[in-house]
Amino acid sequence: MAPWWRKPLQTAGDLSGFAAGTFRLLSRRSLPQKQGTLHLSELHEPVEIITDHYGVPHIYAQNEDDLYFAQGYIHAQERLWQLELNRRIGSGRLAEVFGPIALEADRFSRRLGMHRSAIESVQQLTPHMKRILDAYTLGINTFMQNNQHRLPVEFSILRFKPTPWTHADSLQWGKMIGWNLSGNWETELTRARLIAKIGVERAAKLEAGYDPSHPLIIPPGVAYQGINAGLLDQYERLKELAGFGMLGGSNNWVVDGTMTTTGLPILCNDPHLGQAAPSIWFECHLNAGDIDVVGATFPGAPGVVIGHNRDIAWGVTNAVSDVQDLYVEKFNPDNPHQYEYQGKWEEAKIYREVINVKGADPVVEDVRVTRHGPIITHLPALDSGKSEANELPIAIRWTGLEQCNIAWSVQKINRASNWDEFRDALRDWDVPPQNFVYADRQGNIGYIMAGAIPIRPGDQQALLPSPGWTGEYEWQGYIPFEELPQTFNPDQHFIATANNRVIDDNYPYYISNEWLNGYRAQRIRDLLTSGGKLSPSDMARIQADRYSIPAEEIVPYILQIEPRTPHERAAQDILHTWNHVLSPDSIGAAIYTTFLRKIARIVLDALIGDDQELLNSYLGVGATILATMNGYASRERPLLIRLLKEHNDDWFTDSVMRNGPRTWEAALRAAFEATLGELRDRRGENILNWQYGSVHRMTYNHPLGSVKALEKTFNRGPFAVGGDIDTVNMGAVSPQNPDTVITVPSYRQILDLSDLTHSLSGHAPGQSGHPNSPHYDDFIQMWLDVRHHPMLFERKHIETLAEGTLSLHPPHQ
């Protein structure tokens, strides 16, 4: 299916006839200014912005206000279209630009209400943080005001101009990231739908890592039959826009000086997000007063999110914490504004959201908000007094709608000079919870799971939507910061996280049941402890590693199948000598990953049947434009391996598939035949043409690149890539489209605390959001090769590799 925005773009913009010469003219006109002098009345003192050879700006200011003004200015200069697109996604304002086809995405965003929550959060800013946002916002708006006639080419094509940036826009971006890294609401809904379809006992068998003899606990008073199936499929076409991918998979690790060739710690990080053009990250160096920090930033927010300053270094991975609960509400049949709570009617808050639609009349979305949060299910207008068939009114409670102080936490992290100051900074980190690893130049290393994680009554684990009317499922505050998982200078001399479980059953609080499997974490641990001192180049090799631990377990079962054809024998011969590395040129990798997909479908079909939407949801397909993968992603692998080892044919005894296999032997045979059949159909009879990279490719997509006339201008790729969801060098795909890689290491850093000038970083496709800029795509080949660029930090090195210096001056200077 063509991306959803192609038709309205072709209609509204007549892009098929868009002249190449006109495009080049508009693109050149909007290219960023890297040198010269600008006189800006908003400045207090002069600012220098040195852009290095890699397109990374190094901002030297004499005070904090001018520093963040300049960062806002540079973010706007390089990524204004991205800023505009992202705020429209989060605030539900896509239809203003793209027309009716974007309406359902807007309706969901308006119901969720990140824009409302962001406006409320502005009122809670500390005076210092408000001043920082004042400066940053002024920088963005100054660029827009001074460049009304040389805006990025996307604005010319779509025929609109951006409105002024606000503080709420910046805070909303943090909430969008938090939403993308929080998928528990979808797993609750998927689990409920599984129960409705196959029953409690069979649904319990699908809980990876869960003892199938233990029943799922269903809250009393809720019937899950027909539970809101439409909520998970109404946005199927709206998932590629923002560059988000799966549920925030990432790797980070740190080793102390006893394990390194340098004698001091080395810290590494590679957050896994979707790839898009432009990149979700923007590297930047900020220098003013006591601030001297470099690393990855998010366009739309001030400060450096991941990186190092002169004293400390840090990296993050998603803590995969349960920070979302669904509540089934009971509304008064005589008054749709009232809902039941502990035997009484309470008044819901009502927000009338007016959605402007390009080429059509405005649409009004009436949003009801209970004590548990907004009703996110698709409901009719309130004045109709009716309920849609098979729709339960479900409210979502999410920490991101109640607080979001990470902007202030980032500012404190950027200034921290030791462990105590770093820990203090993380007290303000709330949404989304993250695994932070830490190192400093004194040789210390540490770890903190930072974030607002709800405390639920008793042993509740919030696996399913709960009744909202009883009062028995209310949060009881948050886990105190001092009691969050953390360690400092551990005896094992290293710390590694990869979205895996980080606490055991002795931990007194419930954090999650949605941990990703532990294969990446195990592989990182194995490589770190394989012997010998570790150098930065060793860390780069670990980041490049595509070895698949699950393949060790699964391939032997393929080799046990009795071959019946020359193709089957040839495929087994290749797998027999395969090294379990998912490299782009590997034939074994293509056979293994295709077989894994086939056997998983056969095994799950026995319980779920031919409900492809529900099956995709169980396999991790996300429901909304804001997150394309949910918390189930990758969790079927340990389950499948466990079932293969048990080899109990009872799994298939009551299969709902009439013509499905009834034994494991038959299931493996069917999967093997289907694997070879698919690869023959796609790559031909010659098995030597079945390289993994030919069926596992990634494109850096831009929304306008979905239009044929502009595809080559805006998109880059496709590129053959390796890895999968279980390898350190990740290359995850959606079960709906297994040929297309959607999640990869979006940014990589290797920080050497013995000499921070030797640190390395990199992301792709490039620093710039302008297609005609050389920095739009110049990082791609380096990223594919897992090569990093120097993370320039000292001014003498920066000036040596300077591409240009832009001087900003107040009018009187």
Side-chain angles (χ1 to χ4, degrees):
M1 178 180 293
W4 64 273
W5 53 86
R6 176 178 296 174
K7 183 177 178 181
L9 283 179
Q10 288 176 326
T11 301
D14 190 22
L15 297 184
S16 60
F18 197 83
T22 301
F23 173 81
R24 286 193 294 269
L25 177 62
L26 291 172
S27 296
R28 284 197 299 269
R29 187 181 68 184
S30 63
L31 281 177
Q33 182 174 352
K34 300 291 181 65
Q35 55 189 9
T37 301
L38 296 175
H39 293 277
L40 303 173
S41 61
E42 295 82 4
L43 284 174
H44 303 284
E45 297 178 274
V47 175
E48 275 190 300
I49 304 172
I50 306 174
T51 300
D52 66 28
H53 176 72
Y54 307 101
V56 178
H58 303 261
I59 303 174
Y60 292 91
Q62 299 178 44
N63 61 77
E64 184 182 72
D65 289 352
D66 289 342
L67 178 70
Y68 291 113
F69 171 89
Q71 187 184 19
Y73 191 94
I74 290 298
H75 275 169
Q77 180 173 254
E78 293 286 359
R79 301 288 189 87
L80 184 59
W81 161 249
Q82 184 181 43
L83 294 176
E84 179 66 20
L85 180 65
N86 286 343
R87 72 168 166 177
R88 286 183 177 274
I89 295 171
S91 61
R93 293 178 55 214
L94 291 169
E96 293 179 10
V97 176
F98 295 110
I101 198 72
L103 180 59
E104 285 305 310
D106 282 354
R107 294 184 70 187
F108 179 82
S109 293
R110 295 294 183 99
R111 290 180 218 135
L112 185 61
M114 285 189 287
H115 58 300
R116 296 189 299 268
S117 177
I119 291 171
E120 293 175 0
S121 295
V122 171
Q123 307 306 315
Q124 302 167 11
L125 292 171
T126 65
H128 192 172
M129 189 64 230
K130 184 178 183 303
R131 182 171 176 175
I132 289 171
L133 278 178
D134 284 343
Y136 180 80
T137 300
L138 184 61
I140 294 175
N141 288 331
T142 297
F143 174 82
M144 286 196 287
Q145 181 63 36
N146 293 349
N147 293 272
Q148 287 292 305
H149 301 294
R150 52 189 305 270
L151 294 171
V153 67
E154 292 92 340
F155 293 98
S156 298
I157 292 173
L158 295 173
R159 301 174 183 174
F160 79 99
K161 290 186 177 183
T163 57
W165 194 259
T166 70
H167 294 18
D169 293 330
S170 290
L171 298 184
Q172 179 184 277
W173 174 244
K175 294 175 185 290
M176 275 186 64
I177 293 295
W179 178 264
N180 183 60
L181 300 181
S182 307
N184 179 253
W185 75 278
E186 291 193 56
T187 57
E188 287 185 30
L189 208 52
T190 298
R191 192 175 286 112
R193 294 174 63 210
L194 284 169
I195 288 173
K197 184 174 181 64
I198 66 178
V200 178
E201 293 183 4
R202 290 165 73 87
K205 293 180 180 180
L206 293 174
E207 291 295 315
Y210 184 82
D211 188 336
S213 66
H214 297 167
L216 293 172
I217 306 300
I218 299 181
V222 179
Y224 294 128
Q225 296 297 326
I227 183 169
N228 303 88
L231 183 62
L232 289 182
D233 69 0
Q234 60 185 306
Y235 312 108
E236 183 176 352
R237 294 176 296 171
L238 308 178
K239 297 172 183 174
E240 303 174 10
L241 195 53
F244 290 139
M246 67 171 291
L247 179 65
S250 305
N251 307 315
N252 65 16
W253 64 89
V254 61
V255 299
D256 70 19
T258 66
M259 296 180 64
T260 68
T261 57
T262 66
L264 281 173
I266 300 176
L267 184 147
C268 302
N269 191 195
D270 54 290
H272 299 162
L273 295 168
Q275 288 292 62
S279 167
I280 196 170
W281 300 103
F282 182 80
E283 294 186 62
C284 192
H285 178 193
L286 306 175
N287 183 294
D290 62 343
I291 305 169
D292 194 2
V293 59
V294 65
T297 73
F298 282 132
V304 171
V305 180
I306 305 172
H308 74 80
N309 59 28
R310 291 207 167 268
D311 300 298
I312 72 166
W314 68 96
V316 301
T317 67
N318 190 10
V320 195
S321 304
D322 186 348
V323 295
Q324 297 173 333
D325 282 347
L326 295 180
Y327 294 84
V328 180
E329 304 286 23
K330 285 184 178 179
F331 278 88
N332 186 345
D334 298 321
N335 183 349
H337 293 182
Q338 293 181 334
Y339 63 99
E340 182 181 345
Y341 184 72
Q342 294 185 333
K344 298 179 181 179
W345 295 120
E346 293 194 357
E347 293 289 330
K349 294 180 180 178
I350 309 299
Y351 295 94
R352 172 150 289 204
E353 296 280 354
V354 179
I355 305 173
N356 293 317
V357 183
K358 185 174 183 177
D361 294 332
V363 173
V364 176
E365 181 77 11
D366 288 319
V367 180
R368 291 184 286 186
V369 179
T370 73
R371 62 169 49 233
H372 301 119
I375 301 295
I376 60 171
T377 41
H378 190 96
L379 296 171
L382 290 176
D383 55 11
S384 70
K386 300 177 181 179
S387 296
E388 287 188 356
N390 298 322
E391 289 278 329
L392 290 175
I394 294 180
I396 183 169
R397 186 170 188 188
W398 170 43
T399 54
L401 295 178
E402 300 179 10
Q403 55 184 300
C404 193
N405 297 317
I406 62 170
W408 180 232
S409 179
V410 166
Q411 296 304 316
K412 293 168 69 175
I413 293 171
N414 289 179
R415 289 176 165 86
S417 62
N418 55 51
W419 173 249
D420 289 339
E421 292 177 0
F422 182 74
R423 286 184 75 248
D424 181 67
L426 291 183
R427 292 178 185 275
D428 291 299
W429 187 282
D430 46 20
V431 180
Q434 296 285 285
N435 295 309
F436 281 83
V437 293
Y438 163 95
D440 62 38
R441 295 178 64 191
Q442 282 66 51
N444 300 301
I445 65 172
Y447 161 84
I448 299 176
M449 180 187 289
I453 303 174
I455 299 174
R456 296 169 175 88
D459 295 326
Q460 290 179 16
Q461 296 192 1
L463 299 179
L464 291 158
S466 302
W469 59 88
T470 67
E472 298 174 6
Y473 301 89
E474 306 303 309
W475 294 356
Q476 299 178 341
Y478 299 97
I479 299 175
F481 178 80
E482 300 294 342
E483 299 180 48
L484 290 168
Q486 48 194 289
T487 187
F488 185 62
N489 289 332
D491 292 339
Q492 67 181 15
H493 303 292
F494 74 93
I495 305 160
T497 81
N499 319 113
N500 54 304
R501 185 171 182 173
V502 297
I503 45 91
D504 59 25
D505 290 337
N506 294 320
Y507 186 69
Y509 299 101
Y510 165 67
I511 290 179
S512 179
N513 261 323
E514 316 294 350
W515 312 104
L516 273 67
N517 69 51
Y519 299 126
R520 281 185 288 116
Q522 182 60 52
R523 180 62 176 168
I524 293 168
R525 177 183 291 264
D526 291 346
L527 293 172
L528 292 176
T529 59
S530 59
K533 301 282 188 177
L534 296 160
S535 67
S537 60
D538 293 321
M539 301 305 189
R541 282 191 288 272
I542 295 175
Q543 289 187 337
D545 186 78
R546 297 188 178 108
Y547 186 86
S548 172
I549 290 179
E552 293 179 16
E553 304 275 5
I554 293 171
V555 167
Y557 292 98
I558 308 177
L559 298 178
Q560 292 173 12
I561 300 169
E562 186 67 29
R564 296 177 179 175
T565 68
H567 260 112
E568 290 183 0
R569 188 171 294 107
Q572 287 182 325
D573 287 343
I574 288 171
L575 289 176
H576 185 73
T577 59
W578 181 45
N579 59 4
H580 303 141
V581 174
L582 302 181
S583 59
D585 59 353
S586 170
I587 299 170
I591 298 171
Y592 159 73
T593 55
T594 306
F595 176 85
L596 182 61
R597 175 163 44 87
K598 298 294 185 183
I599 189 64
R601 291 275 178 167
I602 290 172
V603 170
L604 296 174
D605 281 348
L607 263 66
I608 298 175
D610 58 1
D611 188 335
Q612 289 302 305
E613 180 193 351
L614 180 56
L615 180 59
N616 284 335
S617 185
Y618 174 80
L619 290 171
V621 176
T624 74
I625 191 174
L626 303 180
T628 59
M629 299 289 275
N630 66 41
Y632 271 109
S634 89
R635 289 199 288 151
E636 85 280 0
R637 305 291 171 84
L639 171 66
L640 180 61
I641 290 172
R642 189 187 79 204
L643 294 174
L644 282 167
K645 289 179 177 179
E646 293 173 355
H647 228 65
N648 188 340
D649 291 340
D650 289 347
W651 181 270
F652 300 102
T653 300
D654 298 320
S655 174
V656 299
M657 300 298 289
R658 180 177 302 176
N659 298 319
R662 291 298 186 267
T663 67
W664 277 99
E665 182 180 358
L668 290 166
R669 156 64 53 189
F672 191 39
E673 291 177 352
T675 295
L676 302 191
E678 178 179 312
L679 289 172
R680 274 198 308 269
D681 290 344
R682 299 183 56 200
R683 300 299 301 160
E685 292 290 328
N686 189 346
I687 200 170
L688 298 180
N689 293 329
W690 295 4
Q691 289 87 0
Y692 187 43
S694 67
V695 294
H696 191 252
R697 301 171 74 79
M698 180 189 68
T699 298
Y700 297 94
N701 286 307
H702 184 289
L704 300 191
S706 65
V707 179
K708 194 66 176 177
L710 298 177
E711 181 178 5
K712 292 183 179 180
T713 298
F714 286 102
N715 292 351
R716 297 295 183 268
F719 300 99
V721 296
D724 71 356
I725 200 168
D726 297 319
T727 58
V728 178
N729 191 1
M730 177 183 277
V733 301
S734 168
Q736 286 181 308
N737 191 2
D739 298 345
T740 303
V741 176
I742 61 172
T743 304
V744 293
S746 59
Y747 169 76
R748 297 183 179 111
Q749 68 176 18
I750 300 173
L751 306 182
D752 181 356
L753 276 298
S754 71
D755 187 346
L756 288 169
T757 65
H758 291 167
S759 296
L760 304 168
S761 61
H763 66 109
Q767 281 282 93
S768 181
H770 298 270
N772 268 15
S773 168
H775 295 304
Y776 185 72
D777 57 9
D778 57 336
F779 281 167
I780 294 178
Q781 193 58 52
M782 293 176 64
W783 183 90
L784 291 170
D785 298 337
V786 195
R787 290 184 288 116
H788 306 67
H789 68 77
M791 206 171 182
L792 300 177
F793 193 49
E794 297 294 345
R795 181 156 182 159
K796 60 182 179 180
H797 299 147
I798 295 164
E799 290 176 343
T800 300
L801 291 175
E803 183 177 86
T805 299
L806 179 63
S807 297
L808 309 182
H809 288 275
H812 58 277
Q813 295 186 14

